[in-house]
Amino acid sequence: MAYTHTLGGERFRFADLRTLMARASPRRSGDELAGVAAASARERVAAQLALADLPLTAFLNEAVVPYEADEVTRLIQDTHDTAAFAPVAQLTVGGLRDALLAGSVDPAALAPGLTPEMAAAVTKLCRVQDLLLIAQRCEVVTQFRSTLGLRGRLATRLQPNHPTDDETGIAASLLDGLLMGAGDAVIGINPATDNLPQVMRLVQMLDAVIARHEIPTQSCVLTHVTTTIAAIERGAPVDLVFQSIAGTEGANRGFGITLAMLQEAREAALSLRRGGRQVMYFETGQGSALSSDSHHGCDQQTLECRAYAVARRFEPLLVNSVVGFIGPEYLFDGKQILRAGLEDHCAAKLLGLPMGVDVCFTNHAEADVDDLDSLLTLLCTAGCNYIMGVPGSDDIMLGYQSTSFHDALAMRRLLGLRPAPEFEAWLQRSGVFDGSLALADGLPARFAALLAGSA
């Protein structure tokens, strides 16, 4: 079905819903690379005005990726909750945006009734402050050993990566992070390889640290899902199963996964009974479908939102966009990274996901630390569930710039945010904190003994 809008005497035509969504997207290099972006700011505004008047029901009648050819589309349409959608079924995209800003709909009750494309459409119409206000109204709480997503809390993933998976190097970064109050979302390592014995050693190492020091957090080695399944089969003490995911079947195949494979992994993790039912950790990022030539002519933000449908299916503990990681081919500069990070967070929260963000950029992007600080501060005001904690903000294994342990401390102090409640209590018991937001002056006795023993 074609859509049209006349702006200042000029008539714009958009061949189908896929095209309308792409032309309405704020400018980004990935859409231009794919050849789907608006040709001018004028065309973009016309598309946004046409999108604002589009009934939400249009998304139930026209798929942006064909139903017959894509299991993600089938998941979205076959699991749509019509009862949850009913209170807004008569609205347009612009009407839903207005209702969300006015607080006249309950985001938690609405979430199962929204398709990813609806959430994407709403965020395309939002300015930055709208994205913050809408996301801030969405509280999504999950729990394993720590409770994440509560209002007034900011958690961190402690990311002690090492380019050779050296356990001493990992331990040093891990201790550094714990002493800065990081790690309540997860202690998560990106291994240098998918070598199964090495992955199992890392899993066992993290499990021993958490058990020995009674840390109320969870661990994850961010290897491919098939490697994690194999580790579970061999008795590894796996807390969370990790996988990168995308918004089309083809892009997920590029990651070497299917929905059935993710279900198998979840069932394997649940069989260990190490926590509750939320045992999955997913990462996403705008541009992943284009990078595997599996975008079906869609814009990258819409496909990013479709990845959230995949995540939502498996009741995850953690989801985060790695917003600037894929590179300037997809998000060219700090402005595009900032906008994309806020869109990702807002749309995911609207869909009921426990969303964090890796506020980051690669070294060849037109971005710097000031851009990261701006996005980080805005996300934390909007209620982002968690951010990354990387030693010195420079990940020496993955080769990109992210947020540091100090950044999380700064946001907690600036905005009065606190760690996850169980983790906060542990920080105080262990002597890392002498108050809810303050680091103790001296080195805690239990960790001083560790350092003395390694001297």
Side-chain angles (χ1 to χ4, degrees):
M1 175 180 175
Y3 303 89
T4 62
H5 191 85
T6 300
L7 184 65
E10 183 177 2
R11 186 173 184 268
F12 293 88
R13 183 180 184 277
F14 310 99
D16 49 30
L17 183 57
R18 175 192 304 124
T19 304
L20 177 64
M21 293 280 280
R23 302 296 193 269
S25 287
R27 184 182 182 187
R28 51 209 52 177
S29 53
D31 291 338
E32 292 172 343
L33 179 64
V36 302
S40 65
R42 190 176 181 85
E43 183 184 23
R44 182 174 296 110
V45 170
Q48 289 171 340
L49 290 169
L51 185 62
D53 290 337
L54 185 71
L56 292 174
T57 51
F59 294 98
L60 304 179
N61 299 321
E62 184 178 355
V64 297
V65 179
Y67 180 94
E68 298 78 11
D70 189 87
E71 68 173 359
V72 177
T73 299
R74 294 193 291 274
L75 171 69
I76 291 167
Q77 295 194 7
D78 294 349
T79 61
H80 181 246
D81 189 330
T82 56
F85 178 65
V88 298
Q90 78 287 359
L91 296 181
T92 61
V93 174
L96 177 58
R97 169 189 169 275
D98 293 345
L100 289 165
L101 288 170
S104 58
V105 293
D106 177 8
L110 178 61
L114 291 181
T115 69
E117 293 85 355
M118 293 176 193
V122 167
T123 58
K124 292 178 194 298
L125 302 184
C126 290
R127 53 190 292 189
V128 163
Q129 65 180 244
D130 298 339
L131 295 171
L132 303 180
L133 286 167
I134 292 171
Q136 198 275 336
R137 293 195 170 105
C138 305
E139 183 182 33
V140 183
V141 179
T142 57
Q143 187 174 37
F144 196 89
R145 295 189 187 97
S146 56
T147 304
L148 307 171
L150 294 167
R151 293 195 186 280
R153 306 277 177 171
L154 173 65
T156 56
R157 169 187 160 189
L158 202 171
Q159 187 169 312
N161 294 343
H162 191 276
T164 63
D165 289 338
D166 178 74
E167 293 185 14
T168 302
I170 290 170
S173 295
L174 202 163
L175 178 58
D176 186 22
L178 290 173
L179 290 174
M180 297 292 286
D184 42 346
V186 65
I187 301 174
I189 298 174
N190 296 89
T193 73
D194 262 348
N195 176 276
L196 179 57
Q198 179 62 11
V199 166
M200 292 187 66
R201 282 193 292 273
L202 294 176
V203 171
Q204 290 159 354
M205 173 190 175
L206 294 182
D207 181 63
V209 169
I210 289 172
R212 176 178 177 182
H213 298 285
E214 300 178 315
I215 307 172
T217 190
Q218 34 286 330
S219 69
C220 185
V221 176
L222 284 70
T223 187
H224 192 269
V225 65
T226 54
T227 307
T228 304
I229 292 172
I232 291 173
E233 290 172 346
R234 287 161 176 78
V238 171
D239 285 343
L240 303 181
V241 175
F242 168 82
Q243 184 56 51
S244 295
I245 57 173
T248 69
E249 179 178 339
N252 284 324
R253 283 180 178 169
F255 285 136
I257 61 168
T258 63
L259 298 183
M261 192 180 296
L262 295 177
Q263 181 62 30
E264 178 187 355
R266 182 171 187 263
E267 291 172 359
L270 288 172
S271 72
L272 299 179
R273 301 182 182 274
R274 294 179 60 82
R277 293 189 56 78
Q278 294 163 329
V279 294
M280 303 299 285
Y281 174 16
F282 294 118
E283 282 192 341
T284 66
Q286 290 194 27
S288 58
L290 174 58
S291 68
S292 62
D293 196 24
S294 304
H295 59 96
H296 293 267
C298 296
D299 68 275
Q300 63 188 39
Q301 189 244 347
T302 297
L303 294 183
E304 170 73 4
C305 291
R306 284 169 55 93
Y308 303 154
V310 176
R312 182 166 65 174
R313 174 69 179 84
F314 300 102
E315 197 179 349
L317 180 79
L318 303 166
V319 182
N320 65 257
S321 163
V322 191
V323 66
F325 183 74
I326 303 182
E329 299 85 0
Y330 306 94
L331 296 169
F332 179 73
D333 56 17
K335 181 176 181 179
Q336 292 188 13
I337 291 171
L338 183 145
R339 171 81 197 190
L342 297 177
E343 288 172 349
D344 294 350
H345 177 248
C346 181
K349 285 290 185 68
L350 278 175
L351 293 169
L353 288 181
M355 193 66 170
V357 178
D358 189 346
V359 181
C360 63
F361 64 91
T362 54
N363 292 324
H364 60 310
E366 290 292 323
D368 58 24
V369 174
D370 287 343
D371 295 314
L372 291 197
D373 282 352
S374 298
L375 175 54
L376 173 64
T377 305
L378 291 172
L379 283 168
C380 291
T381 64
C384 186
N385 279 30
Y386 66 98
I387 60 172
M388 305 299 124
V390 176
S393 76
D394 184 4
D395 192 305
I396 59 174
M397 197 281 282
L398 294 174
Y400 78 116
Q401 307 301 309
S402 185
T403 46
S404 69
F405 307 138
H406 298 79
D407 292 326
L409 280 176
M411 290 300 103
R412 286 169 176 169
R413 290 173 179 171
L414 177 66
L415 301 172
L417 302 172
R418 297 158 63 186
E422 302 88 349
F423 195 78
E424 180 183 13
W426 178 83
L427 290 170
Q428 293 172 331
R429 287 196 311 272
S430 63
V432 176
F433 278 12
D434 61 12
S436 61
L437 297 174
L439 291 175
D441 290 334
L443 190 64
R446 70 164 64 191
F447 297 116
L450 282 176
L451 292 176
S454 63

